Amino acid sequence: MTDLTKLSLADARKGLADKSFTATELTGAYLSAIEAANPSLNAYVAVTAEQAMAMAKTSDERLASGQGGSLEGIPLGIKDLFATRGVHTQAASHILDGFKPEYESTVTSNLWRDGAVMLGKLNMDEFAMGSSNETSYYGPVVSPFRADGSNANLVPGGSSGGSAAAVAAWLCAGATATDTGGSIRQPAAFTGTVGIKPTYGRCSRWGTVAFASSLDQAGPIARTVEDAALLMTSMAGFDPKDSTSVDMAVPDFAAAVERGVKGLTIGVPREYRMEGMPAEIEKLWKEGLDWLVAEGATVKDISLPHTKYALPAYYIVAPAEASSNLARYDGVKYGLRVSGKDITDMYELTRAAGFGREVKRRIMIGTYVLSAGYFDAYYVKAQKVRTLIKKDFEDAFDAGVDAILTPATPSAAFGIGDEALAADPVAMYLNDVFTVTVNMAGLPGIAVPAGKDAKGLPLGLQLIGKPFDEETLFAAARVIERSAATDFSPKPWW
Amino acid sequence: MSVDAATVKRIARLARIRIEEDQIASYQGELNAILGFVEQLQEVDVEGVEPMTSVTPMTLRRRDDLITDGGYAEKIVSNAPLSEDNFFMVPKVVE
C-alpha cells in the first residue's frame, strides 16, 4: 500500500471518496508518522490521538452514507493559537499552563463542520512573536530540511513553524496558521510549502489568541496551491462574533487554481530590490516573472515608496496592540499563577515567570509607546505611516496592476541558535521585511516555493493581491508551482 | 529617543512585569535597539495624513443591545487557578 501520508490533500480526498482507503486508515498513518518524527522535529505540542480516531470513525460513517463534507476525513494539525474545546491551547506560552478552553474557535469550527479531523496542536513562537520558532516555551521546532551535506539543525521559520514543519514532513495533510507580520508566509517559504494570509477580515479572529488585533489573520499552510485553496474555502467566512469579520460570500477558491494568468498585469516593486540582496534571490524573482510572462501575463515596474517604513511602523503598532491584548494574563482567570505578598506582587511575579523574553520585550515596547507623552510621537505617527503604506498599494492597483510579485524572504532558512540573530533583535525582525507591508495594508499574500538555494534549501516567492482577490493569487501561485516543476519535499533524516 | 534605567523600571511597573535589578541593563539595551530602529519614521512627512483606524473600509458593525449569551459561570471560572462558588479568588485588596 502507498504511504497515505505522502498524498496531497486533494488526492487524499479522492482516495476517501472512491473508497481506496478509509479515514481511520489515513488518520492512523498520520498518527504513526507523528509518533516516529515528533521526538526529532518537535512540531506538535499535543497529540490528540483518541479524539482523532473518533473523528475519523465518524467521517467514515458519513462517507459511507454519502454525507461527507468538503474536507471529510482529512487529518489536520492546528496551531496552538486556536482555541480547541477541552484541548491544550497555550499559544506555546508558560503563562497559559493547563488552559483548556470551554469553546472552539470559529476557524476550527468551520473545519470540523466540513469533516476535517484534528491530529493535535502545533508548536509556534510564544504568542506568535518570532520568526524562527525559537521563542516557544516548548523549545524550538526543528526543520525537516537540512543543507546538502550538513547535519546542522535549521529553523522552520516562525511563528507558524510547527505548522510548516508538520506539513513539509508529512505529519498532517494541511495545517492552520496565523500571520501578523509574515508568520504564515515566511515559514512556508523556509519549508517548501504553500502558505496564504488572506485579506484582513476574511477569516474570523474569534477564538484565536490575540497578538495584534488589527494585523492578525488566520490562513492555511499546505503542500500544494490546490490544497491551500481547499483549506482556505473552509476556514473563511463571515462571523458575527468578530466585529472586523467581513460579510462577503466566500468563493470556491479551488475553482480558481487553474484559471491561469493570461492578460494579468504583475507589478514588480523597485523598493523590494534591497541592497545586498543575495544573487540567488534576485535570480529566483526574475525566473518567477519569466514563468508568468510565458503564460500570458505582462510585467509592470511599480513603486511602493513607503516600503522601508513598514517594518519600523510595525514594531510600534504590533507591540502596542500586544501590550493591551496580553494584559489579560494576570494569574486570575486562567493559566499560571505565582503567589505574591499582595495582588500587584502576584501580577508582577506571574507575568515575570509566565512570559518569555521576546514577549516581555514586546509588551514593554508597547507599554512605552502607549504611555503618556509618547502616544502621539510613536503610535499615532505609525498609524499615519500605515495609511501611506496602504495608499502605495492602492495607487499600484489603480494603475492597472492585478498582483505584485516579490521574494518571500531575504534568505533561505538559518540555523537554530544563530548567534548573530540572538544578539540583535532587529536583525531577526528583518526576516519579515517583504511580508510585513501586506499586514500593514490588510492585503492578501501567498508564499509559494519557487526554487532552491546553493545548499539545496527551499526558497519562496510572494504574490500580493487586491483586497478580497485571493483567487488571482491562487491562480498565479499555481503557475509558479507548475513552472518550477521541482520536488520541494525534504529528505527524511528523522 | 532612548530609555534610561529608571524608565525601564517604570515601564516594567506599568506592564506589571517584575524585572530584577541585574536584568535592567540588558532590557535597556534591547529596548533602545528597537527604539533606534523605529526612529527612522521621523523622516516621513505625514502632514495632513489621517492615522489608520481600520484597515478595511468598513464601519464597525453594531448589534442590538440584547442579552444573547451567558448563564454558565462555572465554565467561566473552570480554568481559574483559584476559584470558590464561581468567583475568582485573589489576594485581599481592601483592608
Side-chain angles (χ1 to χ4, degrees):
Chain A
M1 196 163 159
T2 54
D3 183 349
L4 298 180
T5 65
K6 299 281 165 70
L7 296 173
S8 70
L9 191 155
D11 286 341
R13 252 172 37 126
K14 286 191 199 95
L16 288 167
D18 63 23
K19 314 262 191 297
S20 303
F21 47 84
T22 64
T24 310
E25 286 167 338
L26 182 62
T27 297
Y30 275 114
L31 289 171
S32 305
I34 294 168
E35 201 177 315
N38 211 47
S40 309
L41 302 181
N42 199 28
Y44 281 85
V45 293
V47 180
T48 52
E50 255 176 58
Q51 192 172 332
M53 290 311 279
M55 288 174 96
K57 191 161 164 283
T58 306
S59 286
D60 279 330
E61 287 161 12
R62 280 199 225 137
L63 287 162
S65 63
Q67 309 277 303
S70 61
L71 295 173
E72 199 65 57
I74 298 295
L76 302 178
I78 303 299
K79 189 176 182 181
D80 201 31
L81 207 63
F82 293 87
T84 43
R85 189 183 295 112
V87 173
H88 187 288
T89 300
Q90 290 186 209
S93 178
H94 186 35
I95 208 157
L96 271 165
D97 256 8
F99 181 58
K100 291 195 166 77
E102 296 278 352
Y103 50 87
E104 187 78 24
S105 82
T106 299
V107 163
T108 49
S109 297
N110 291 347
L111 292 167
W112 314 146
R113 172 203 65 205
D114 291 339
V117 169
M118 176 167 69
L119 294 167
K121 300 303 285 289
L122 294 162
N123 204 346
M124 53 181 283
D125 279 302
E126 184 183 5
F127 283 106
M129 297 180 189
S131 304
S132 64
N133 215 116
E134 294 174 288
T135 72
S136 167
Y137 177 65
Y138 298 95
V141 175
V142 178
S143 174
F145 286 90
R146 283 175 168 176
D148 288 342
S150 165
N151 284 331
N153 285 336
L154 299 177
V155 303
S159 69
S160 309
S163 305
V167 168
W170 305 284
L171 306 185
C172 55
T176 65
T178 62
D179 191 314
T180 303
S183 283
I184 289 176
R185 292 158 289 156
Q186 184 253 19
F190 277 11
T191 57
T193 54
V194 177
I196 179 164
K197 181 204 92 75
T199 313
Y200 184 81
R202 191 57 112 170
C203 284
S204 170
R205 292 181 294 107
W206 194 85
T208 310
V209 176
F211 160 16
S213 303
S214 77
L215 301 159
D216 297 343
Q217 261 295 292
I221 292 181
R223 288 194 284 269
T224 69
V225 173
E226 184 186 13
D227 289 2
L230 289 165
L231 288 167
M232 190 69 240
T233 305
S234 176
M235 291 166 71
F238 174 61
D239 179 10
K241 288 190 285 193
D242 171 1
S243 59
T244 59
S245 168
V246 174
D247 192 356
M248 194 181 240
V250 179
D252 176 0
F253 291 117
V257 168
E258 297 295 344
R259 211 166 63 176
V261 293
K262 198 166 179 354
L264 293 186
T265 302
I266 305 295
V268 182
R270 72 176 67 104
E271 291 79 7
Y272 281 59
R273 204 169 300 278
M274 313 279 287
E275 211 174 303
M277 179 186 270
E280 53 200 12
I281 301 278
E282 187 111 25
K283 180 167 159 282
L284 181 85
W285 196 4
K286 173 78 174 52
E287 240 163 23
L289 288 168
D290 290 346
W291 292 331
L292 295 170
V293 168
E295 303 238 350
T298 314
V299 170
K300 184 182 168 78
D301 284 316
I302 59 168
S303 174
L304 302 170
H306 296 91
T307 297
K308 70 174 281 209
Y309 302 111
L311 204 54
Y314 175 86
Y315 275 95
I316 292 173
V317 174
E321 294 184 13
S323 73
S324 298
N325 276 325
L326 273 60
R328 74 191 69 187
Y329 305 104
D330 57 4
V332 176
K333 300 182 288 297
Y334 25 60
L336 185 75
R337 172 186 284 200
V338 178
S339 298
K341 63 182 190 322
D342 55 29
I343 194 164
T344 303
D345 207 39
M346 181 197 81
Y347 291 152
E348 291 187 351
L349 293 173
T350 299
R351 289 163 65 82
F355 291 132
R357 183 75 180 213
E358 180 66 31
V359 174
K360 285 184 207 173
R361 188 153 67 201
R362 295 202 200 188
I363 291 174
M364 291 189 43
I365 283 287
T367 304
Y368 179 67
V369 301
L370 291 178
S371 65
Y374 297 100
F375 180 76
D376 285 338
Y378 284 109
Y379 190 74
V380 175
K381 175 91 189 214
Q383 290 290 43
K384 286 180 179 174
V385 171
R386 201 173 165 190
T387 299
L388 293 172
I389 292 163
K390 183 158 185 262
K391 187 170 180 301
D392 285 354
F393 283 106
E394 285 166 353
D395 290 347
F397 293 133
D398 286 347
V401 167
D402 295 295
I404 297 165
L405 186 77
T406 77
T409 56
S411 70
F414 44 88
I416 289 178
D418 187 292
E419 282 177 21
L421 290 174
D424 179 2
V426 174
M428 182 67 94
Y429 296 169
L430 288 172
N431 258 285
D432 294 332
V433 68
F434 298 134
T435 49
V436 77
T437 50
V438 175
N439 301 75
M440 295 301 270
L443 300 172
I446 192 168
V448 59
K452 292 181 181 177
D453 76 353
K455 297 173 198 154
L457 297 173
L459 294 170
L461 287 171
Q462 171 181 240
L463 284 147
I464 303 167
K466 295 178 188 172
F468 302 103
D469 188 18
E470 291 86 357
E471 288 170 283
T472 296
L473 298 188
F474 283 121
R478 174 64 188 134
V479 168
I480 289 172
E481 179 181 57
R482 182 156 34 80
S483 307
T486 305
D487 178 9
F488 287 104
S489 52
K491 293 184 195 75
W493 50 265
W494 57 91
Chain B
M1 273 179 269
S2 63
V3 292
D4 57 17
T7 307
V8 172
K9 277 202 245 186
R10 188 174 62 83
I11 301 167
R13 178 70 176 180
L14 283 172
R16 295 289 183 270
I17 295 172
R18 176 70 48 87
I19 288 180
E20 304 303 334
E21 284 294 328
D22 61 354
Q23 299 173 327
I24 289 173
S26 62
Y27 272 103
Q28 189 185 344
E30 290 169 12
L31 298 187
N32 281 333
I34 299 167
L35 292 172
F37 176 61
V38 305
E39 196 67 24
Q40 54 185 301
L41 292 183
Q42 297 316 316
E43 65 197 52
V44 186
D45 180 8
V46 293
E47 187 65 38
V49 177
E50 283 294 310
M52 183 180 283
T53 49
S54 170
V55 74
T56 41
M58 66 184 295
T59 44
L60 206 61
R61 232 178 6 263
R62 295 176 187 186
R63 63 168 178 81
D64 293 333
D65 188 13
L66 300 168
I67 298 168
T68 58
D69 201 6
Y72 41 74
E74 70 291 346
K75 286 189 178 178
I76 305 290
V77 299
S78 68
N79 275 289
L82 202 60
S83 69
E84 206 176 294
D85 300 332
N86 290 342
F87 287 99
F88 294 113
M89 300 294 282
V90 294
K92 195 157 123 182
V93 285
V94 181
E95 290 299 333

